[in-house]
Amino acid sequence: MLMHKLDETLPGAFNPSPEFIARMESFQKEVAKAGVLLAAEGLCETSKGATRITVTGGKTTVTDGPFTETKELIAGFALLDVRSQEEAVEWGRRFADVFAETIGEVEVDVRKVFEMPEGGHPA
């Protein structure tokens, strides 16, 4: 999974330009053509509907957004089915380039998705 983070306090962070949208569409078409794209979506800013659920010491707290105390939030993702970590990192670099060339800076996490073993019990 490729996840990109944005600082939603920056003006325009969650208002993509037409240039950005065109570059992201191009990236998504390329990943789809390579046969590795499972899903890709952007997320709305937290003022447009977000809830954070926190459990600490057995107490559950539900907080509605926006989350002004949190600067970097996951703002979107791409879920890929690749053969290796190296391939995931290469796609991650290209994913980051889409942002770098239009927004200027971004942080992208490349994470392996945990797969439940057959039978439903972790090893």
Side-chain angles (χ1 to χ4, degrees):
M1 176 174 275
L2 311 177
M3 296 175 286
H4 72 88
K5 301 174 187 176
L6 291 176
D7 179 348
E8 76 175 352
T9 64
L10 295 176
F14 283 77
N15 186 18
S17 69
E19 295 82 16
F20 174 82
I21 292 171
R23 292 185 70 72
M24 184 55 73
E25 285 176 348
S26 177
F27 172 81
Q28 288 181 354
K29 286 177 184 174
E30 183 180 359
V31 178
K33 186 176 178 181
V36 297
L37 180 65
L38 299 177
E41 299 293 338
L43 303 175
C44 293
E45 57 192 283
T46 62
S47 65
K48 292 187 177 176
T51 302
R52 181 172 288 152
I53 302 167
T54 308
V55 179
T56 305
K59 181 181 180 221
T60 302
T61 304
V62 178
T63 308
D64 290 329
F67 305 126
T68 55
E69 73 283 357
T70 305
K71 285 199 156 215
E72 289 187 342
L73 294 168
I74 296 172
F77 70 92
L79 186 59
L80 310 179
D81 185 11
V82 295
R83 293 175 296 277
S84 67
Q85 179 72 11
E86 293 77 19
E87 184 181 0
V89 169
E90 180 55 34
W91 282 117
R93 287 177 199 229
R94 294 166 80 177
F95 187 61
D97 285 346
V98 172
F99 295 90
E101 293 180 18
T102 54
I103 294 175
E105 86 179 51
V106 70
E107 183 175 306
V108 172
D109 286 353
V110 178
R111 303 275 306 272
K112 183 174 177 140
V113 175
F114 176 79
E115 295 182 47
M116 189 68 72
E118 202 156 318
H121 300 286

